[in-house]
Amino acid sequence: MPNKIPFMHRFFLALLLTLAVGAAHAALKIEHWTLANGARVYFVESHAIPVVDMSVEFDAGSRRDPQAKTGVSGLANAMLARGLREAKLDDGTVEPALSEAQISEAFANIAAQRGGGGGSDRAGASLRTLSSRAERDEAVQLLGRLLAQPSYPADLLERDKARVAASIREGLTRPEVIAQRTFSRTAYGEHPYGREETVESIESINREDLVAFHAAHYVANHAVVALMGDVSRAQADAIAQQLTRRLPQGSALPPLPATPPAQAREEWIAHPASQSHVLIGAPSLQRGDPDFFALTVGNYILGGGGFVSRLTREVREKRGLAYSVYSYFSPLAQPGPFQIGLQTQKAETATALKVARDTLGDYLRSGPTAAELKAAKDNLVGGFALRIDSNRKILDNLAVIGFYGLPLDYLDTWTANVEKVTIADIRAAFARKIADDRLVTVVVGMQKP
């Protein structure tokens, strides 16, 4: 079929495709500065759409929960928008109290989208707003108030506690939840990464616990502000100041204990589900670790690459033992978990477990092949553009870079760092991080034979 596209059109089409591909791999200019109040700001300017995305995060994840009050961090974050207290600012301005409904209505009136949440390390709030001055200013002011002036109404706390407790009870009926909670407790012991909120710990939390947690952790000098979108550097600075101006200064947070060394342990928990849920792993990888890229590429080959991974080939395709099997590293502020997971028929549990262990053991001894390494690099490098193809994804990356102190060129050098990984790098990195004779194994479903 003849090509009916005129030459000039083809020229410009080729030029646009070249520019698009180039843009996907082009440097993301991340600007970083620190405000006078200590808040750290990370900013990428983009005028592609008239929108600004922003987040403010703190060292306020579940690892900061008091031991007897597991769940405080989650409730303190979830209840930021349940109500605002009246507050008088340094310039004499009095900001009125607002109810949960008034907060929701105020965001809706300016088409702003509020988000947020918390994990093991960090917690905070996010916002997507139109970049037009009136809407942006109102949204930023409201988010700033939400971070600094939550009223934590006691009646809504009881409602939220009941909701969380019901969720825990429901989760404890599901084998995958039981397996994950057991894995965390077994791998991390008394370390905060090993704690899980319980119905009892949630029911013990009162309003004073939330107020105290918020006062200690939602402070200006620990804030990480990420901004992405249709504003200038000067406007981004003004937004960051507005977001954090109401926050107090905080004290240094206490150091956390070291994560425990990997130790071989097995937990078998009987469950009426038709399948066994199997988890194998150990604490392994910290953010900023120089082994990160070797482990990222190596894990793609082992169990992160879906249907092309070794675990899938050995467990699913060759033997039909499981519908899916995977592995991943989850880097955290302290060594986060490496984990292999699969579900299999109860009668096949022992066989599937042995095949997964043997596959890992062979990989640790021999490493990947040259063909596997090339395929993994091609996929990871080729798919990198999808990691930063929206404002929201770039914002998430900014927040990670800021919170964990990663280099500002982390995204610019990501593909080059993947390309540099060798077979020897992968073997050495896995040898440093994973010992197959010191792994936790959790099986929920079949009883131990």
Side-chain angles (χ1 to χ4, degrees):
M1 181 178 179
N3 188 341
K4 297 183 178 179
I5 303 175
F7 171 78
M8 288 304 294
H9 287 187
R10 279 184 279 138
F11 171 79
F12 284 115
L13 180 59
L15 178 62
L16 287 172
L17 288 171
T18 301
L19 291 174
V21 172
H25 294 280
L28 269 179
K29 184 184 176 185
I30 300 175
E31 298 186 68
H32 165 55
W33 64 96
T34 302
L35 302 181
N37 61 18
R40 292 178 289 131
V41 186
Y42 295 80
F43 170 57
V44 170
E45 183 173 347
S46 171
H47 302 284
I49 53 176
V51 164
V52 188
D53 286 282
M54 63 194 78
S55 68
V56 186
E57 294 190 336
F58 307 87
D59 187 350
S62 59
R63 67 176 184 156
R64 294 293 178 185
D65 278 337
Q67 187 162 9
K69 299 279 185 176
T70 305
V72 165
S73 61
L75 280 169
N77 183 275
M79 291 197 65
L80 288 174
R82 298 289 186 258
L84 297 178
R85 58 182 167 78
E86 181 182 283
K88 186 175 182 179
L89 304 184
D90 293 340
D91 62 5
T93 304
V94 176
E95 296 181 315
L98 293 177
S99 68
E100 180 182 34
Q102 288 172 317
I103 294 170
S104 297
E105 185 177 357
F107 279 121
N109 286 342
I110 51 175
Q113 299 173 3
R114 180 187 61 81
S120 298
D121 291 337
R122 52 200 175 106
S126 64
L127 177 70
R128 163 166 280 203
T129 179
L130 296 169
S131 57
S132 46
R133 180 67 183 268
E135 287 79 8
R136 188 185 76 211
D137 284 353
E138 187 171 343
V140 169
Q141 182 200 31
L142 195 53
L143 185 67
R145 291 199 62 194
L146 188 143
L147 291 167
Q149 302 165 356
S151 59
Y152 290 135
D155 56 337
L156 296 189
L157 172 59
E158 293 307 313
R159 182 195 69 183
D160 282 9
K161 285 168 57 176
R163 175 182 55 79
V164 174
S167 175
I168 294 172
R169 290 190 184 95
E170 189 275 334
L172 290 176
T173 67
R174 292 187 283 140
E176 64 272 26
V177 175
I178 298 171
Q180 194 58 58
R181 291 170 73 99
T182 304
F183 178 87
S184 297
R185 185 178 68 250
T186 308
Y188 285 96
E190 293 301 314
H191 187 276
Y193 285 164
R195 296 179 196 151
E196 297 283 353
E197 58 191 24
T198 64
V199 171
E200 292 74 22
S201 71
I202 291 297
E203 289 178 342
S204 74
I205 293 169
N206 56 44
R207 182 180 178 278
E208 287 68 33
D209 296 322
L210 301 189
V211 172
F213 186 90
H214 178 268
H217 297 87
Y218 286 72
V219 295
N221 50 324
H222 296 171
V224 176
V225 181
L227 285 152
M228 165 71 198
D230 182 30
V231 289
S232 66
R233 156 70 188 256
Q235 290 169 328
D237 185 72
I239 290 171
Q241 293 189 44
Q242 182 72 355
L243 287 172
T244 58
R245 66 185 286 237
R246 299 168 182 81
L247 295 169
Q249 291 291 297
S251 302
L253 295 174
L256 294 170
T259 55
Q263 186 176 1
R265 291 187 61 185
E266 286 192 11
E267 294 280 349
W268 293 68
I269 300 172
H271 191 279
S274 60
Q275 290 196 325
S276 290
H277 291 248
V278 179
L279 298 177
I280 307 167
S284 62
L285 184 61
Q286 192 167 356
R287 281 282 180 188
D289 190 300
D291 283 334
F292 174 80
F293 286 98
L295 295 173
T296 297
V297 178
N299 183 66
Y300 182 91
I301 299 164
L302 173 64
F307 288 110
V308 300
S309 72
R310 279 200 186 190
L311 283 167
T312 297
R313 187 167 66 241
E314 296 298 327
V315 176
R316 172 190 157 115
E317 295 182 4
K318 287 187 178 178
R319 299 170 178 85
L321 295 170
Y323 179 75
S324 69
V325 54
Y326 60 85
S327 67
Y328 67 82
F329 288 90
S330 180
L332 294 171
Q334 296 175 268
F338 161 75
Q339 195 176 90
I340 293 172
L342 62 90
Q343 296 85 51
T344 187
Q345 293 297 319
K346 285 183 177 178
E348 305 285 2
T349 302
T351 304
L353 184 55
K354 182 178 186 307
V355 172
R357 286 171 167 168
D358 288 348
T359 303
L360 174 63
D362 179 66
Y363 193 68
L364 292 174
R365 285 187 296 276
S366 307
T369 65
E372 287 176 324
L373 179 62
K374 181 181 184 307
K377 287 182 180 181
D378 288 348
N379 185 283
L380 289 167
V381 171
F384 175 75
L386 298 177
R387 295 171 182 257
I388 53 170
D389 64 355
S390 70
N391 282 20
R392 189 63 58 85
K393 290 181 183 177
I394 293 174
L395 183 79
D396 291 342
N397 277 292
L398 287 179
V400 169
I401 289 169
F403 186 84
Y404 293 106
L406 302 180
L408 293 185
D409 64 355
Y410 174 76
L411 295 174
D412 297 335
T413 58
W414 199 93
T415 55
N417 283 322
V418 167
E419 291 281 17
K420 287 191 296 188
V421 171
T422 66
I423 290 174
D425 292 336
I426 293 172
R427 290 185 63 179
F430 268 78
R432 282 189 284 270
K433 297 297 188 295
I434 305 297
D436 57 350
D437 60 347
R438 295 201 300 273
L439 296 177
V440 164
T441 300
V442 173
V443 179
V444 177
M446 181 182 175
Q447 284 185 318
K448 187 172 184 177

